[in-house]
Amino acid sequence: MAGRTARAEQVSATRELILTAAERLFAERGVYAVSNRQVSEAAGQGNNAAVGYHFGTKADLVRAIARKHSEQIERIRTRLLAEIDDSDDIRDWVACLVRPVPEHLAALGSPTWYARFCAQVMTDPALHEIIVEESLSSGSLPQVVEGVNRRLPDLPADIRAERGAMARELILHICAERERALAENTPTPRATWHDTATGLIDAIVGMWLAPVTHPGS
Amino acid sequence: MAGRTARAEQVSATRELILTAAERLFAERGVYAVSNRQVSEAAGQGNNAAVGYHFGTKADLVRAIARKHSEQIERIRTRLLAEIDDSDDIRDWVACLVRPVPEHLAALGSPTWYARFCAQVMTDPALHEIIVEESLSSGSLPQVVEGVNRRLPDLPADIRAERGAMARELILHICAERERALAENTPTPRATWHDTATGLIDAIVGMWLAPVTHPGS
DNA sequence: GCCCGAGTCAAGCAGTTGCTTTAAACTCCT
DNA sequence: AGGAGTTTAAAGCAACTGCTTGACTCGGGC
């Protein structure tokens, strides 16, 4: 047990190497602009088919990257969910929705690549499904959404869904934009990931509480 | 003059053919998943290098597509800007920001591909710059942003920039999501592009007017 | 009215892709 | 201690990429 077999450690080490190399290259150059060969080489594998051996297709590699992170994010989310303990403040629930992502990015240290990676995958017609089932259908998220909805004023179901989608897009793409700015040494509106989350919570709460114009206007 | 030369018409016709074929393929399969060859073939050009001949690299083709649409969008925006005529209602100004995009999509008829195309290009590290300078730096947009800012309560410059970015991301990706849903025959929260715009305006105004939590919390 | 040049077509180029195959190196189990 | 099975390495494959080349078509200016 202690240290498992040396072989298994070696294997999971190269898997991890490939995973992080792929994530970096995908974020910097684009998922489809990078070949599996380049990923293998960047991971220090002389074997130019290492990606195929360990993961299969590029879609499988993308799924593996997404899963790795979404597990971490899920962990943070359940922790926050426990902390707010059925609070009545909608802000707390929105925080449960928002904070896991930027907090995860903060925990990764600098630089990070996951947000840019995720934004790309999310907008790609072929990969979109993958990341949805890997990140969005997991454990505690529906619980948080339900918690938010319960503390929300009466809204038609359609509007609820619409603003839920807005919150989702906002969280992802604002994080990706900040990550890009950090990578390019461009000024960012917020100093830390935590402050970024606070800004997102402010905005999303305001958005969710906004009055609804009847479409007949 | 009347009818120009028959030859020049033929040329601009095939250019247009390539442009729309590329837009559709890019939206449906992904910008990098489609080769210039495939675009040429889909445009009915026996010449497998037609894209290269008429446009150059793929980046140039993307720029051409973006320019074509952003000209139309710019036209709508200036029209709306004239209609609100220095209104004092912030809603009018936000409408000037939001409406041009969904209204342009509505004018294109169904189905459309531009929103999905745009969302992809916007998240791609290599193409991001292209569409920014082609769509966002154009004519009347800064004017609208300035108009919105003037009708906004006092906000720190950073927060202003942050929420501006949020509005931008929201408009683009919500339109892309609706377009995707339409293409897949999935239910959408709104029946029309106009209603979608109304929902976006509600949300963005609410977001912009939301109180700002001091990051010290 | 005839030749020039822009536009189209078709074939071919070297380079790269994903994937398969074969060989070597290594750990693990008996 | 050695055979077995797995991981890495390296080479090779057909398919496809962008790009160039040369022949053909045809409208327009001298």
Side-chain angles (χ1 to χ4, degrees), chain B:
Chain B
M1 293 303 159
R4 225 81 113 281
T5 67
R7 183 57 162 241
E9 263 184 11
Q10 171 71 7
V11 170
S12 74
T14 69
R15 271 184 62 107
E16 202 62 29
L17 235 48
I18 292 174
L19 240 36
T20 61
E23 186 181 319
R24 194 186 73 238
L25 288 179
F26 287 168
E28 287 176 350
R29 302 188 207 165
V31 173
Y32 279 104
V34 176
S35 69
N36 287 355
R37 258 182 156 87
Q38 291 172 316
V39 172
S40 295
E41 286 169 11
Q45 300 297 300
N47 180 9
N48 60 22
V51 168
Y53 182 82
H54 283 282
F55 295 97
T57 74
K58 178 171 288 191
D60 295 325
L61 177 55
V62 166
R63 170 175 279 115
I65 296 173
R67 172 167 298 152
K68 187 181 75 167
H69 287 277
S70 74
E71 282 170 0
Q72 297 287 336
I73 292 173
E74 172 68 16
R75 212 160 295 160
I76 299 175
R77 193 184 295 120
T78 51
R79 175 169 59 75
L80 292 179
L81 198 51
E83 281 179 19
I84 68 166
D85 186 34
D86 207 46
S87 159
D88 275 332
D89 188 355
I90 186 163
R91 230 188 126 74
D92 291 336
W93 286 91
V94 172
C96 264
L97 200 68
V98 171
R99 294 225 116 96
V101 176
E103 212 159 286
H104 173 60
L105 292 168
L108 290 175
S110 182
T112 59
W113 299 280
Y114 182 63
R116 283 169 287 170
F117 163 82
C118 224
Q120 271 182 69
V121 172
M122 204 68 172
T123 55
D124 186 282
L127 303 175
H128 177 256
E129 288 306 317
I130 291 178
I131 203 147
V132 166
E133 55 186 72
E134 209 57 59
S135 304
L136 264 27
S137 45
S138 72
S140 62
L141 213 167
Q143 209 173 329
V144 175
V145 171
E146 203 257 350
V148 170
N149 276 334
R150 196 139 30 120
R151 274 85 186 170
L152 229 46
D154 275 341
L155 285 176
D158 287 345
I159 307 290
R160 238 178 251 265
E162 184 183 47
R163 296 194 173 170
M166 288 179 181
R168 213 182 333 110
E169 304 283 358
L170 225 41
I171 296 168
L172 173 59
H173 292 286
I174 290 299
C175 285
E177 192 168 323
R178 180 177 145 88
E179 195 183 86
R180 202 179 309 131
L182 288 176
E184 293 170 358
N185 260 335
T186 294
T188 56
R190 303 281 186 164
T192 66
W193 282 113
H194 188 83
D195 291 350
T196 304
T198 304
L200 276 168
I201 295 169
D202 287 350
I204 290 175
V205 169
M207 176 199 84
W208 237 319
L209 297 179
V212 178
T213 302
H214 191 67
S217 104

Side-chain angles (χ1 to χ4, degrees), chain A residues 80 89-100 102-103 170-171 174 190 193-209, chain B residues 162-163 166 207 210-213 217:
Chain A
L80 292 179
D89 187 355
I90 184 162
R91 230 189 125 76
D92 290 336
W93 286 90
V94 172
C96 263
L97 199 68
V98 171
R99 294 225 114 98
E103 212 159 286
L170 225 40
I171 294 168
I174 289 299
R190 302 279 185 166
W193 282 112
H194 188 83
D195 292 350
T196 303
T198 304
L200 276 168
I201 296 169
D202 286 350
I204 290 175
V205 169
M207 177 200 81
W208 238 319
L209 297 179
Chain B
E162 184 183 47
R163 296 194 173 170
M166 288 179 181
M207 176 199 84
V212 178
T213 302
S217 104

Side-chain angles (χ1 to χ4, degrees), chain A residues 7 11 14 37 46-48 53-54:
Chain A
R7 182 57 162 236
V11 170
T14 70
R37 260 183 155 87
N47 181 7
N48 61 20
Y53 181 83
H54 284 282

